[in-house]
Structure formats: C-alpha cells, structure tokens
C-alpha cells in the first residue's frame, strides 16, 4: 500500500518486512535456532543446510528471499533457522569438517 508521506511509507515497509520475516520463520518451524535454541529474533538467520546461501541472500534483510519463503513460493526443506553464532559453526563444519567444528560449543542461556 503506497503512502504519499515518505516517512509513513518507510514505517509501512519496516512493518511489512517484519511481518514477512515472522511468516518466513514460522514456515521454518518458528523463531528458534535449531542448534542451541536461541530465540532472540535479532540474532536469527535463515541458513542453507547444504551451504550456498551467498548466492541467494542469506539473512532476514534479503527481501526477495524472505518474501518467497513467507508466501510459499520457495520450498524450505533445504533451509533452517540458526542464530548467528550457530550459523558460523555450520560454516566451519562445511568448510573444515566435523573435527574442527566439534572443538566449539555454542550455548544459549
Ligand atoms: Zn544457535
């Protein structure tokens, strides 16, 4: 819905983006990290389980990506919700293997 007032337009976009983000997270099982259980939405990201997220846009600010998930236009079985630290841990696993990743512990309390 377009507004003539740019400030209202901006706040509408932010609100709409937040709604889309919540919908997208809901399709992925809810706003909670699959690894450590973190539920602080500021820290959550959508992770590509098999890697390759850079090609698509991997954080909650990637509008097209989030929109496609929220509206069901994109399948989600290759995606999961992780917090930023666990996303880095996932990267370490893919890049350097379990032996390297197993030396780290991420916990949320
Ligand atoms: Zn986590």
């Amino acid at each position: 819905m377009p507004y003539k007032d740019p400030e209202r337009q901006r706040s509408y976009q932010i609100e709409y983006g937040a709604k889309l983000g919540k919908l997208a997270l809901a399709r992925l099982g809810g706003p909670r990290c699959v690894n450590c259980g973190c539920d602080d939405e500021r820290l959550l990201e959508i992770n590509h389980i098999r890697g390759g997220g850079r090609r698509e846009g991997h954080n909650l600010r990637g509008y097209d990506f989030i929109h496609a998930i929220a509206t069901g236009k994109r399948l989600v079985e290759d995606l999961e919700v992780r917090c930023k630290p666990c996303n880095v841990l996932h990267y370490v696993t893919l890049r350097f293997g379990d032996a390297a990743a197993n030396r780290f512990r991420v916990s949320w309390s």
Side-chain angles (χ1 to χ4, degrees), residues 44-100:
L44 297 177
E45 300 178 332
I46 293 173
N47 182 47
H48 291 69
I49 294 168
R50 291 182 293 275
R54 279 168 215 277
R55 286 190 298 271
E56 193 165 33
H58 60 291
N59 64 36
L60 290 175
R61 289 181 296 267
Y63 177 83
D64 291 339
F65 178 55
I66 297 306
H67 186 268
I69 295 167
T71 56
K73 286 176 188 152
R74 190 199 185 286
L75 297 175
V76 295
E77 65 274 334
D78 63 328
L79 302 174
E80 64 186 5
V81 177
R82 280 183 181 253
C83 68
K84 289 178 191 291
C86 290
N87 222 345
V88 171
L89 187 62
H90 183 249
Y91 167 81
V92 171
T93 306
L94 290 178
R95 181 78 172 75
F96 303 104
D98 287 338

Side-chain angles (χ1 to χ4, degrees), residues 33-38 44 81-87 106-108:
C33 173
V34 295
N35 190 53
C36 74
C38 168
L44 297 177
V81 177
R82 280 183 181 253
C83 68
K84 289 178 191 291
C86 290
N87 222 345
V106 177
S107 68
W108 168 254

Side-chain angles (χ1 to χ4, degrees), residues 12-46:
Y12 171 78
Q13 283 170 340
I14 290 168
E15 213 173 285
Y16 184 67
K19 266 186 207 161
L20 277 182
K22 282 188 193 309
L23 271 174
L25 290 176
R27 276 202 76 213
L28 291 163
R32 184 174 296 271
C33 173
V34 295
N35 190 53
C36 74
C38 168
D39 60 359
D40 185 334
E41 291 188 34
R42 298 170 303 172
L43 305 178
L44 297 177
E45 300 178 332
I46 293 173

